[in-house]
Amino acid sequence: MTTDRDIARWRLRSQSLATPRDDAEQVVRSLLALQAENASQSAWAVATRTSAPEAADLADALASGRVIRTHVLRPTWHYVHADDVRWLLELTAPRVLPVFDQQLTQVADRMTAIADTIERVLGEASDRTRADLGAALAERGTELTGQQLMLVVGKLEMLGLVCSGAPRDGEHTYALMSERVPPARPFDRDEALAELALRYCTSHGPATERDLAYWATLTVTDARRGIAAAADRLESFEHDGRTFWHARGGPAAGALVPAGHLLQVLDEMYRGYQDSRWVIDSEGVVPRERETAIGMALVDAQLVAAMKRTVTAKAVTFALRPHRALDARERQAIDDAAARYAAFLGLEPRVTFDAA
């Protein structure tokens, strides 16, 4: 019989947390998209899924344009491979754009002129920061608040006009998608739904149709349609009154290596699901009221502690608040995870525990 814990362990492997990939580009391509709202912490979400985590790995992929950081799937940033960004946008943008429109009513009558200006500025010179774009708009008589500018550029990303450029001194920049991303073959919605379902269930599975609908901002009807079209390349099982879909073949046997992980709460192991998210808390010890921490500690694919990361010049401190008492093995797994994360940052690891 499959349990919640079994599913969580299975996902750890599907998501390359227990079966790391060779490099950042492979990670992004395999997972199709990774939420990347917080650039520094989402960089670790990619790196921790590689066999030899290095900051330059993702940075090089972003600079070359093989990986794009842009708004897609939901009204937030994701890392997505350049080969996938156009069809994902065409599929998911129609349901996401109204979210931006609702927040841009104050500038709705100026959106065409604003978009024309931004496209012209980026056409003259690529890799402009958001501040650069704001200054260029102000010079042409359009003053936008920081929030308005962020939403404007986010909408242009969802429209496929703008995407990430090469980072400049570690800062996110923008470029024209037409110059950054190769043209895509003609879009077929049914094919795209099938491709989305196949790759999500492969990289995030086992997962439910409602997990897929949430992740890609689809209707449940469209999620079902995509899964049905890809069903001959997937397998499924029933658990807790739901159907879980996954890549062909069962879960790999053996211990999870590594056993511990320190992740942001936006990581795909948490944010990649909604309907069945809490298989990572099979004992039901984590408060469900609200997300009170920006990070989490997983051991054996279970959420055992809330985590807050603090970076100083010499060290990175992981302050953990356990959801239950942790044994020596679990603490060691967390210490090992902290050492990996700190090595990636080039800092000393420090771990503190509040009382459970």
Side-chain angles (χ1 to χ4, degrees):
M1 179 181 294
T2 301
T3 66
D4 281 0
R5 188 181 287 264
D6 292 332
I7 294 172
R9 287 171 172 157
W10 195 337
R11 287 178 178 175
L12 211 70
R13 290 188 167 95
S14 298
Q15 289 210 18
S16 301
L17 284 165
T19 52
R21 301 276 174 169
D22 289 340
D23 57 39
E25 184 178 359
Q26 284 189 15
V27 169
V28 173
R29 190 192 288 277
S30 67
L31 283 174
L32 190 54
L34 289 84
Q35 187 161 331
E37 182 177 332
N38 183 307
S40 64
Q41 295 205 35
S42 62
W44 174 241
V46 175
T48 193
R49 290 170 164 88
T50 65
S51 53
E54 292 184 8
D57 185 9
L58 177 63
D60 289 346
L62 288 167
S64 69
R66 301 191 310 277
V67 170
I68 302 295
R69 180 174 178 246
T70 195
H71 281 75
V72 66
L73 294 181
R74 302 189 293 279
T76 190
W77 267 310
H78 284 78
Y79 295 124
V80 61
H81 197 277
D83 293 344
D84 295 312
V85 66
R86 289 190 181 275
W87 70 266
L88 280 176
L89 281 171
E90 288 193 64
L91 182 61
T92 64
R95 284 178 55 82
V96 180
L97 282 169
V99 178
F100 284 97
D101 290 337
Q102 290 171 7
Q103 300 177 77
L104 286 170
T105 54
Q106 292 183 335
V107 298
D109 59 338
R110 294 179 284 161
M111 267 304 300
T112 299
I114 291 171
D116 288 345
T117 297
I118 290 176
E119 286 189 85
R120 187 163 55 251
V121 169
L122 292 177
E124 294 169 355
S126 194
D127 305 333
R128 301 288 191 99
T129 66
R130 191 185 303 162
D132 292 337
L133 297 181
L137 287 167
E139 289 174 2
R140 291 161 175 80
T142 301
E143 295 274 0
L144 297 178
T145 66
Q147 178 73 4
Q148 287 174 333
L149 181 57
M150 179 183 69
L151 291 169
V152 162
V153 182
K155 178 176 180 177
L156 296 184
E157 289 178 316
M158 291 301 306
L159 288 170
L161 300 174
V162 171
C163 67
S164 62
R168 198 171 78 199
D169 298 326
E171 188 173 358
H172 181 84
T173 71
Y174 297 91
L176 293 176
M177 186 172 286
S178 60
E179 297 180 356
R180 193 78 170 153
V181 178
R185 64 184 178 88
F187 175 77
D188 181 290
R189 194 168 189 277
D190 286 338
E191 287 182 9
L193 284 171
E195 178 75 3
L196 177 76
L198 175 64
R199 292 177 64 182
Y200 174 79
C201 293
T202 298
S203 64
H204 290 70
T208 72
E209 60 189 21
R210 292 186 179 276
D211 288 324
L212 171 58
Y214 161 78
W215 187 77
T217 319
L218 295 175
T219 63
V220 175
T221 298
D222 273 343
R224 289 173 181 161
R225 188 174 174 182
I227 289 173
D232 61 337
R233 292 168 284 174
L234 296 169
E235 292 181 356
S236 66
F237 61 86
E238 301 298 315
H239 171 69
D240 196 25
R242 304 179 181 97
T243 301
F244 285 78
W245 295 88
H246 59 90
R248 286 187 172 278
L256 295 171
V257 181
H261 298 274
L262 295 175
L263 305 169
Q264 60 172 332
V265 79
L266 300 179
D267 190 89
E268 292 296 309
M269 269 298 288
Y270 181 89
R271 190 64 71 196
Y273 315 90
Q274 186 182 58
D275 180 44
S276 64
R277 174 180 292 167
W278 289 107
V279 297
I280 60 174
D281 178 29
S282 61
E283 297 177 9
V285 298
V286 181
R288 301 290 202 270
E289 292 82 7
R290 61 190 179 94
E291 296 164 359
T292 58
I294 62 172
M296 57 185 184
L298 300 182
V299 176
D300 193 25
Q302 292 297 290
L303 201 173
V304 298
M307 181 270 288
K308 182 178 180 181
R309 187 196 74 165
T310 302
V311 177
T312 61
K314 293 185 178 180
V316 53
T317 299
F318 302 97
L320 274 74
R321 189 177 70 255
H323 297 300
R324 58 168 175 75
L326 302 179
D327 61 29
R329 180 189 64 84
E330 290 170 323
R331 287 180 176 246
Q332 184 60 57
I334 290 170
D335 285 342
D336 292 344
R340 293 195 309 275
Y341 201 155
F344 170 74
L345 296 174
L347 298 171
E348 298 175 8
R350 295 175 184 169
V351 179
T352 65
F353 291 94
D354 292 339

